[in-house]
Amino acid sequence: MANERLRAALLSKGIDIEQLAEAIQVDPKTAERWITQGRQPYRKHRYAAASFLGTDESYLWPQALTREQVASASESEIITVHPHRWAVPRDIWGRLFAEASQEIGILVYSGTFIHDDHGLMRVLADKARADVRVRILLGDPDCPNVVQRGRDEGVGDSQIERCRNAIHWYSSKLRPSGAEIRLHQTVLYNSIYRADDQLLVNTHAYGQPAGDAPVLHLRRVAGGDMVSTYERSFEKTWDEATPLES
């Protein structure tokens, strides 16, 4: 059976079989059989190919790792768990964004605590000017899910106003530096803050403000499945969101 995930990963990156084979030092015919015949590479080649394509080994070859191996690697992705978002030290947020060299992503409804922190906003703007891809996903204030979130938290229309304020502040502070901003209408199961291979995931609890909910600090580990799950969630939301300028 052909490996369509590997084929799609190559196409999305604009990479052909020869380039992949050269990058990980295997024969092109061997790499071609990974796609056309579904052959499974040796572990070192799976890891090298996944790293080269910027994706996860367990996504490209889901049958290659045992459940125990995936579970063990995924557990290793957890750096720490903070009981509340307000309990996350500020310097962790600062280091998360300041150390990013490729991309930063923020998925929130309003992310008020970020745009109220002038130091963090300056870091985000500086990163965007330094050609780090900065993407911000904010809640569409006119969508039913934002309205419902305000009701669930007992703050009524304040959630709508928070989103409108966020659009103003993120737009005025970050768009001139090159950051991309889109509005989403999803049910926000988690707020996600990503920087290269690290994530801070603010889980949400019904009827509780986001600041009181736990935060998972994650770092990608080869063979793990947690970081890639949240990254796919972020990308799906991004793809379905509306660019702010439209």
Side-chain angles (χ1 to χ4, degrees), residues 73-81 216-219 221 226:
S74 297
E75 184 177 348
S76 297
E77 289 184 309
I78 302 173
I79 296 176
T80 190
V81 177
L216 308 177
H217 190 173
L218 309 175
R219 182 192 294 273
V221 170
M226 292 183 66

Side-chain angles (χ1 to χ4, degrees), residues 29-237:
K29 291 183 179 179
T30 298
E32 186 174 3
R33 285 193 287 270
W34 297 345
I35 296 177
T36 59
Q37 300 178 24
R39 299 275 185 90
Q40 288 191 9
Y42 292 118
R43 179 71 191 276
K44 66 176 182 178
H45 292 147
R46 294 199 307 267
Y47 177 70
S51 298
F52 181 64
L53 294 172
T55 187
D56 194 77
E57 175 190 359
S58 61
Y59 172 75
L60 295 177
W61 292 282
Q63 306 304 320
L65 301 177
T66 66
R67 292 183 179 180
E68 291 76 14
Q69 287 175 318
V70 173
S72 177
S74 297
E75 184 177 348
S76 297
E77 289 184 309
I78 302 173
I79 296 176
T80 190
V81 177
H82 300 276
H84 311 284
R85 193 188 67 201
W86 56 259
V88 180
R90 185 195 178 279
D91 66 308
I92 289 181
W93 296 100
R95 288 201 306 270
L96 179 77
F97 298 135
E99 293 175 0
S101 60
Q102 296 179 311
E103 69 168 313
I104 291 171
I106 296 176
L107 167 59
V108 292
Y109 272 155
S110 59
T112 302
F113 77 101
I114 296 286
H115 73 63
D116 281 350
D117 189 317
H118 299 294
L120 291 180
M121 291 292 280
R122 189 177 301 115
V123 170
L124 294 173
D126 289 345
K127 287 295 179 178
R129 281 190 287 266
D131 294 328
V132 173
R133 189 182 189 191
V134 176
R135 293 184 289 171
I136 312 293
L137 278 161
L138 302 173
D140 184 337
D142 297 320
C143 83
N145 287 321
V146 166
V147 175
Q148 187 61 49
R149 179 59 176 272
R151 293 172 181 165
D152 293 344
E153 290 191 6
V155 297
D157 291 344
S158 294
Q159 184 63 57
I160 298 173
E161 293 306 314
R162 289 174 187 168
C163 290
R164 288 177 176 156
N165 287 336
I167 291 170
H168 168 74
W169 288 112
Y170 281 102
S171 177
S172 62
K173 299 296 183 182
L174 297 184
R175 285 180 72 194
S177 65
E180 305 168 70
I181 301 176
R182 294 186 181 183
L183 304 183
H184 70 94
Q185 299 189 8
T186 64
V187 176
L188 194 63
Y189 297 106
N190 303 277
S191 295
I192 298 175
Y193 308 85
R194 61 189 295 195
D196 294 346
D197 62 350
Q198 288 194 66
L199 297 178
L200 287 172
V201 179
N202 186 187
T203 65
H204 292 168
Y206 177 75
Q208 302 299 311
D212 282 347
V215 171
L216 308 177
H217 190 173
L218 309 175
R219 182 192 294 273
R220 182 190 304 282
V221 170
D225 216 17
M226 292 183 66
V227 168
S228 58
T229 296
Y230 286 114
E231 286 181 340
R232 289 194 296 271
S233 177
F234 183 96
E235 294 300 338
K236 180 175 175 58
T237 307

